[in-house]
Amino acid sequence: MNPAAVSQQITDAQTTEEQFLRRIFIRSQMQEFVQDPLLMAKADGVWYEDVHGKRYLDALSGIYVVSVGHNNRRVIDAVKEQLDTLAFSPPMHGSNPQAVRLANRLAELAPGDLSAVKLASGGSEATEAAIKMARQYHRLQGNGTKYKIISRYHSWHGSTMGSLSASGLASRRSVNEPLAPGFIHVFPPTCYRCPFGKEYPGCELTCATLIEDVIRLEGADTVAAVMVEPIGHTGGIIDPPEEYLPMLRELCDRQNVLLIFDEIINGAGRTGHMFAAETFGVVPDMVCLGKGISGGYAPLAALICRQHIADTFWGDPAENPGFVEGHTFEGSPLACAAGLATIDEIIERDLCGNARRMGERLRAGLGGLKRHGIIGDIRGKGLFLGIELVRDPATKEQFDPPIGQAIGRRALQNGMLTRFDPHWLAVAPPLTIDAEQIDEIIRLLDQSIGEVLAELPAC
Ligand SMILES: Cc1ncc(COP(=O)(O)O)c(C=O)c1O
């Protein structure tokens, strides 16, 4: 690394490169970051460029965010225009036209009677709001004992205490314990490695039916909601069998339990429809959107609820306080302008259709990489696909030590951003991607896998 290059890009201060970089916390180990810092300087389309001028194919949309591509002029112009008009409005006294427009746009687009919107600045705020809305809804309905939230192991719903308590990732939970009470976890539909040792479809979806058993055992009068990502991200792109989400819908209805879809990653066109709820043909009681809904041009998230929930929060202030939840930057005019322009871009350019078409090409390309003999499974929908890495696809034996990070890091060295875990790797490029760029993703993955395998010690 050339220290001078970085410091010239980011400061004139007289500190050393390392001192400089040690002052910012990032999401992984600082020591690694300081040794080999990745600092993006600019971006265009599906390409990033770092401070040294190296280009990276963004096969991850930053982190599932840059839905409409980098340097998208429509969204940039909309935010600039909004900056010149109104940058902030008082959130406690009212709202602003852009926020009201965005709420209406989302309500029109959402399936079923998902029709009222709480805006937020990030995914954790939206999932946290969903948990609170579920509890407050039941309380206003006279069911104040319904407070427990059922979610899944391996899941990630956010960093705030409530959303973290709903999350099922042991590594991120344990360092923050004790977490909030009232959160229960069940196994996700990981068919490739069924936690019940069964096989689909003979299993009759134990992973779904067991949730109703858990609700009964906990006491249906204590359970407020079930929260899931339609396609689970952490845990390795957990794409459920088609009956799974409809079964959750039915069992939640039977038990007067709300169904929440966390579509922070799944939504905004990523699975080939504006909402993953549409991809799976299930209308949940609440949907959380984030990441791709503003394309990364401003921090924006949203919670959309069904009409019967919205109605519950409507009434005489003396008896009904409304939805008790709020953040300073909710409904920021800048973020809402970015959201509206991003949605226009997704719809007018048919980026959902492009996600389906390019997703098929990407899936076929990943299928071709099976010839390396280490891809056990390809999962996901649209432009949200993952591969599970195994030493032996016949036995599903895992690599020990794992190989995922080595491949992901090699891809980065080779100029491509992916999401990698010890045993899986995910690809989710901007929805604007074209066929040639999809082929380039496959070429770079092919090269990276080949190089890592060639360096493995012979067994
Ligand atoms: C499924 C899911 N839900 C919620 C969140 C939290 O969103 P944020 O990081 O914007 O707070 C994330 C973030 O990665 C996520 O992937």
Side-chain angles (χ1 to χ4, degrees):
M1 184 188 72
N2 171 6
V6 178
S7 24
Q8 270 163 21
Q9 287 267 347
I10 55 180
T11 183
D12 294 329
Q14 296 302 305
T15 47
T16 67
E17 172 90 346
E18 182 179 331
Q19 279 171 324
F20 228 27
L21 295 173
R22 282 181 75 152
R23 291 203 181 122
I24 180 169
F25 273 105
I26 63 157
R27 278 174 70 165
S28 47
Q29 178 45 256
M30 294 295 299
Q31 196 172 314
E32 278 181 356
F33 168 63
V34 168
Q35 279 162 7
D36 188 14
L38 179 65
L39 295 167
M40 295 306 188
K42 52 186 178 180
D44 187 45
V46 298
W47 293 95
Y48 271 117
E49 191 177 311
D50 74 10
V51 291
H52 306 291
K54 177 174 170 180
R55 275 164 42 97
Y56 299 81
L57 179 50
D58 184 4
L60 189 58
S61 307
I63 183 78
Y64 306 104
V65 169
V66 188
S67 49
V68 294
H70 298 276
N71 196 18
N72 183 301
R73 297 320 302 177
R74 181 203 290 242
V75 187
I76 291 169
D77 289 346
V79 175
K80 279 184 175 170
E81 194 181 326
Q82 188 57 43
L83 258 177
D84 285 336
T85 315
L86 174 75
F88 189 77
S89 71
M92 283 202 79
H93 302 72
S95 188
N96 62 79
Q98 295 294 42
V100 177
R101 264 186 219 123
L102 178 61
N104 278 276
R105 190 90 166 103
L106 289 171
E108 281 159 17
L109 289 169
D113 65 343
L114 284 159
S115 52
V117 180
K118 176 77 171 174
L119 294 166
S121 304
S124 307
E125 278 182 20
T127 51
E128 189 85 19
I131 292 164
K132 291 177 183 166
M133 184 173 271
R135 290 180 174 176
Q136 292 178 38
Y137 162 80
H138 286 300
R139 187 177 287 257
L140 286 167
Q141 291 277 330
N143 297 317
T145 59
K146 284 172 87 71
Y147 68 95
K148 294 178 190 165
I149 307 294
I150 297 179
S151 51
R152 304 188 305 206
Y153 293 113
H154 304 299
S155 63
W156 180 245
H157 295 296
S159 291
T160 54
M161 257 327 181
S163 61
L164 175 64
S165 303
S167 301
L169 273 189
S171 58
R172 296 190 196 173
R173 288 168 55 86
S174 57
V175 291
N176 289 304
E177 286 174 341
L179 300 179
F183 291 85
I184 291 149
H185 294 89
V186 292
F187 285 100
T190 42
C191 293
Y192 187 69
R193 296 184 188 279
C194 177
F196 308 103
K198 297 185 177 182
E199 265 193 41
Y200 175 80
C203 62
E204 294 183 352
L205 284 99
T206 304
C207 51
T209 57
L210 211 71
I211 296 177
E212 190 157 22
D213 295 333
V214 169
I215 294 173
R216 287 207 190 94
L217 288 166
E218 289 290 329
D221 57 339
T222 69
V223 180
V226 169
M227 176 152 77
V228 297
E229 276 184 283
I231 299 175
H233 171 233
T234 39
I237 318 299
I238 304 169
D239 193 357
E242 59 178 344
E243 306 92 321
Y244 178 82
L245 292 171
M247 284 172 77
L248 257 53
R249 177 66 281 175
E250 282 172 22
L251 71 89
C252 282
D253 284 344
R254 275 195 296 274
Q255 302 296 338
N256 186 23
V257 165
L258 299 176
L259 180 61
I260 303 168
F261 280 0
D262 176 345
E263 296 202 17
I264 306 289
I265 289 178
N266 281 224
R270 178 121 327 260
T271 67
H273 296 92
M274 186 60 90
F275 294 85
E278 298 169 277
T279 302
F280 288 95
V282 172
V283 180
D285 296 295
M286 291 182 232
V287 172
C288 303
L289 293 175
K291 293 192 187 276
I293 199 64
S294 70
Y297 290 88
L300 176 69
L303 164 64
I304 316 176
C305 70
R306 287 180 61 196
Q307 193 62 52
H308 67 102
I309 299 177
D311 290 346
T312 304
F313 290 94
W314 189 266
D316 178 351
E319 286 152 24
N320 185 333
F323 181 33
V324 183
E325 166 72 347
H327 292 272
T328 301
F329 289 106
E330 72 177 55
S332 144
L334 295 177
C336 294
L340 283 162
T342 299
I343 291 170
D344 284 348
E345 199 60 355
I346 292 175
I347 290 175
E348 286 175 26
R349 291 175 62 184
D350 186 26
L351 296 183
C352 295
N354 198 52
R356 292 195 295 273
R357 288 186 295 276
M358 291 302 118
E360 282 311 309
R361 192 176 184 98
L362 183 59
R363 182 182 287 277
L366 293 172
L369 299 182
K370 281 190 170 176
R371 64 187 159 69
H372 286 287
I374 61 160
I375 296 181
D377 202 17
I378 302 172
R379 295 189 285 267
K381 290 196 167 38
L383 282 172
F384 182 31
L385 296 181
I387 52 177
E388 181 152 343
L389 302 161
V390 288
R391 178 175 280 288
D392 180 355
T395 61
K396 302 184 185 176
E397 183 200 346
Q398 292 186 320
F399 277 95
D400 183 17
I403 200 172
Q405 282 114 329
I407 295 174
R409 290 203 175 106
R410 182 57 61 97
L412 202 56
Q413 277 171 16
N414 289 334
M416 181 169 68
L417 202 70
T418 59
R419 169 72 161 88
F420 47 90
D421 241 53
H423 298 290
W424 56 270
L425 189 141
V427 182
L431 310 182
T432 50
I433 196 158
D434 65 25
E436 210 176 301
Q437 293 159 342
I438 289 281
D439 296 348
E440 182 63 3
I441 291 178
I442 297 300
R443 191 191 69 72
L444 284 166
L445 257 184
D446 192 16
Q447 177 190 343
S448 306
I449 292 174
E451 287 171 5
V452 168
L453 289 181
E455 289 165 14
L456 277 188
C459 14

